Amino acid sequence: MSAVLWTLDWPVNGTVSTFVDNFQSWLQPHLKSSNVVLVFDKYFDFSPKSSTRAARAESVRYHKLGPHIPLPTKDAVLKCVANKQQLADLICQGILSDDEYLTDNTPTNQLILAGWPTDPICIKRGKQMNYDLPSTHEEADVILVQHAIYEANKSDQARISFVSDDTDVFVLLLHFYQRQNLTCPMIMAPAVHGRDTLDIKSTVRKHKDIIPSIVQMHALTGCDTVAQTYNIGKITAVSVLQKGTSLTKLGNVDEPFEDVEKQAT
């Protein structure tokens, strides 16, 4: 949900409750037209991203948030994990405690809260239902892809659309869309107005020969937990793949290390 939270109206003189109300207003038309999955980060202790998150929060301080507390600045909330977790809690609690809102907005479509607090919570016709799709991963990027692929596998008639500007999400979707032999329409819409909407189905068809190596390429050229190689970016790496280079041995524990090293370099 980070991408959405950054783009929503942030009331200057409002309270936390004011922002939660704005969020529910943003959510309402989406629920009227389709099923909605809201995916939140879990933020495990001792995460590979802990140092990065700490660096982002150096210029902000912890706030004790509550419904009637004046809303801190956007940076103060969204750059600090503790503040962001509190906001996510208040958003989800606000939705789950509002029976009238849930009854009015889930008569036919369902709302799923994923990544918060642990296993997914599904609401339809105002009632909580079982939704057996747990995840032990902390990253919303991964959980989002898990839900997208799960829904796509339910039916060839499914139409999947999600909001994200993250390269990790794009790469994972390309990989799993091809690996699962999916055929349904799937698009990745930007959170920021003016950016391009990405068609996953068309991209997989157009670049089917390099998709088997796309995750490995992404890791080699820098991602959340891997540093970028100096002066070798994504565009250069994709050009190499398009010339016939394969990276399919990377990540395969059954391959001899010498072969993996040779392919990676």
Side-chain angles (χ1 to χ4, degrees), residues 15-234:
T15 64
V16 174
S17 182
T18 307
F19 180 81
V20 173
D21 290 342
N22 288 350
F23 183 89
Q24 291 187 7
S25 297
W26 169 86
L27 176 62
Q28 193 169 16
H30 296 283
L31 277 173
K32 294 292 186 182
S33 60
S34 64
N35 295 332
V36 176
V37 182
L38 300 179
V39 182
F40 297 87
D41 286 303
K42 292 186 177 182
Y43 299 114
F44 293 158
D45 293 332
F46 308 108
S47 163
K49 294 187 69 175
S50 292
S51 59
T52 300
R53 290 167 180 159
R56 289 175 186 165
E58 282 183 352
S59 60
V60 297
R61 66 179 180 86
Y62 171 79
H63 291 266
K64 179 64 176 177
L65 300 183
H68 305 297
I69 299 296
L71 184 67
T73 65
K74 184 184 295 187
D75 281 0
V77 175
L78 300 184
K79 287 187 177 181
C80 174
V81 168
N83 295 337
K84 193 174 176 181
Q85 281 182 298
Q86 291 182 84
L87 182 62
D89 289 345
L90 290 165
I91 288 172
C92 293
Q93 290 166 5
I95 291 172
L96 293 175
S97 63
D98 193 336
D99 293 336
E100 182 179 358
Y101 179 86
L102 291 174
T103 301
D104 290 345
N105 291 288
T106 60
T108 55
N109 296 319
Q110 62 187 23
L111 170 65
I112 299 165
L113 305 178
W116 179 94
T118 50
D119 293 338
I121 299 172
C122 178
I123 305 100
K124 188 171 184 179
R125 301 185 186 93
K127 304 295 183 182
Q128 292 191 26
M129 305 166 58
N130 291 330
Y131 192 83
D132 190 20
L133 193 65
S135 175
T136 57
H137 207 287
E138 69 168 331
E139 279 285 311
D141 297 347
V142 175
I143 301 171
L144 187 155
V145 173
Q146 178 192 26
H147 280 267
I149 300 302
Y150 176 75
E151 294 296 332
N153 271 310
K154 282 185 177 180
S155 169
D156 290 339
Q157 304 303 313
R159 299 176 64 87
I160 311 297
S161 175
F162 51 91
V163 178
S164 178
D165 294 302
D166 199 290
T167 305
D168 295 341
V169 173
F170 181 57
V171 168
L172 287 171
L173 283 169
L174 295 177
H175 170 78
F176 284 107
Y177 193 97
Q178 184 183 71
R179 187 170 180 177
Q180 296 283 320
N181 296 313
L182 299 177
T183 59
C184 69
M186 183 179 291
I187 63 171
M188 180 171 166
V192 178
H193 180 71
R195 293 182 180 175
D196 293 335
T197 296
L198 304 177
D199 187 327
I200 302 302
K201 181 177 181 178
S202 296
T203 303
V204 170
R205 284 181 175 177
K206 182 176 180 179
H207 300 286
K208 63 181 185 298
D209 293 334
I210 69 171
I211 298 298
S213 297
I214 200 76
V215 171
Q216 297 91 325
M217 178 279 294
H218 182 52
L220 277 178
T221 53
C223 58
D224 280 348
T225 54
V226 180
Q228 179 182 352
T229 305
Y230 178 72
N231 209 30
I232 302 177
K234 307 292 182 188

